[in-house]
Amino acid sequence: MYNKAVTGEKSVYEDPGTLTEEQAVRMLAGMNEVIRAGEEMRKLRAEMIPVFAGFGWTQEKIAQLTEMSQPAVSKQVAKYRKDDAPPPAVLSLDQYDTPWLEGRLWGLAEELSEVFGDTARCTPYVIAVARGKKRFTPRNVDELRRLVEEDLGRHRAELPAGYQDAYDRISRGLDLPPKATTPAAPTATASARRALACRIQRVRLRGDA
């Protein structure tokens, strides 16, 4: 039932800021499930293409990872060549804009839900997000924070310290004034950053880095 993260074999903060192709495939497998959930989430597919291009991946590889056709990928890449392309995405967890922190919280909730199943208080919320029935409004984020905090308290003895440490950092960041959590140079749309942070948080928690 428990994956490598639950053994505490590797700290969540051993973060080189890069992803291997194998890690990216696992990350995107989960992201594709989210993208399929609804029209709003499917927009992430196009929004993520410039992020992946910034990693230096070829159009063929991006098409494979995102499960899109290569012509569709080429169209998006060409669009961002004409427009102002965002700078390459930073993969470090230690970023403090609100969408990134919300994405980390989402990823932490997904891990707790996967590990503890229906007994996790955050599981219904995770399912609602996956089905496009929950959005990341301030009220909903506060609700998710309470559910995650309760799950961490109930299962403290069964989880490595990295889970609580991740939550504490996320929570402190979300409690800062908005001006202190806005990046000087956003690397992608809010929804794309949120989804990317969610997947990277899960990769780090699992000790795959």
Side-chain angles (χ1 to χ4, degrees), residues 6-19:
V6 182
T7 69
E9 290 177 11
K10 190 162 188 174
S11 168
V12 64
Y13 294 106
E14 292 182 26
D15 182 359
T18 60
L19 291 176

Side-chain angles (χ1 to χ4, degrees), residues 188-204:
T189 64
S191 57
R193 282 186 61 74
R194 191 178 292 118
L196 185 60
C198 173
R199 297 302 140 188
I200 292 174
Q201 180 66 81
R202 295 196 67 177
V203 167
R204 306 306 187 209

Side-chain angles (χ1 to χ4, degrees), residues 95-102 169-184 186 193:
Q95 301 179 66
Y96 295 98
D97 57 295
T98 299
W100 188 266
L101 292 163
E102 290 172 347
R169 290 176 183 240
I170 294 164
S171 189
R172 283 195 297 270
L174 288 171
D175 286 338
L176 291 173
K179 64 180 180 180
T181 59
T182 302
R193 282 186 61 74

